[in-house]
């Protein structure tokens, strides 16, 4: 298993448009070998007027995730990633995780 996560900081005023962008996009994830599941997570509103979002993708292995990042499906999925008005602050922060324990 490999977990790939991107964190996005979004101004509260842009939250609705950011969510609509994600809910309406064509991800192509299910076309990829090794893809297991995807979640878009929303955190609470912060005191600075932003909301933290995290995209959370589970893959069979780090190799299958890396194959995704080099694929045509990846390029198609991310063609409009920033949205029409760059809906999030800065760049998304990527974090990748390999398991050391699983309790099922």
């Amino acid at each position: 298993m490999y977990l790939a996560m991107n964190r996005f900081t979004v101004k509260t005023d842009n939250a609705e448009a950011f969510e609509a962008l994600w809910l309406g996009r064509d991800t192509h994830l299910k076309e990829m070998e090794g893809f297991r599941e995807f979640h878009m997570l929303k955190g609470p509103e912060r005191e600075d007027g932003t909301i933290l979002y995290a995209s959370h993708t589970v893959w069979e292995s780090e190799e299958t995730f890396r194959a995704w990042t080099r694929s045509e499906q990846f390029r198609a999925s991310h063609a409009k990633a920033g949205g029409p008005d760059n809906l999030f602050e800065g760049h998304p922060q990527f974090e990748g995780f390999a398991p050391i324990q699983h309790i099922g």
Side-chain angles (χ1 to χ4, degrees):
M1 182 194 99
Y2 185 76
L3 185 133
M5 210 160 57
N6 278 298
R7 293 188 299 155
F8 303 84
T9 302
V10 178
K11 288 186 179 178
T12 305
D13 293 346
N14 290 337
E16 187 176 323
F18 180 81
E19 291 178 22
L21 177 71
W22 278 89
L23 294 171
R25 65 184 227 147
D26 203 2
T27 69
H28 303 279
L29 286 166
K30 291 185 177 185
E31 300 169 19
M32 298 302 299
E33 183 178 333
F35 169 73
R36 296 291 176 252
E37 59 187 78
F38 173 84
H39 302 270
M40 176 50 92
L41 307 170
K42 179 181 181 179
E45 184 174 337
R46 299 170 168 181
E47 290 181 17
D48 67 356
T50 63
I51 300 170
L52 180 65
Y53 288 84
S55 66
H56 168 195
T57 314
V58 179
W59 296 88
E60 181 180 292
S61 65
E62 185 174 353
E63 293 75 27
T64 57
F65 166 72
R66 298 286 174 209
W68 155 249
T69 65
R70 295 185 300 270
S71 71
E72 285 297 320
Q73 290 90 336
F74 179 88
R75 284 185 281 288
S77 293
H78 292 83
K80 299 177 184 174
D85 298 316
N86 200 16
L87 298 173
F88 49 89
E89 303 294 302
H91 297 284
Q93 179 166 349
F94 173 78
E95 298 172 324
F97 299 91
I100 61 168
Q101 181 182 31
H102 175 256
I103 299 172

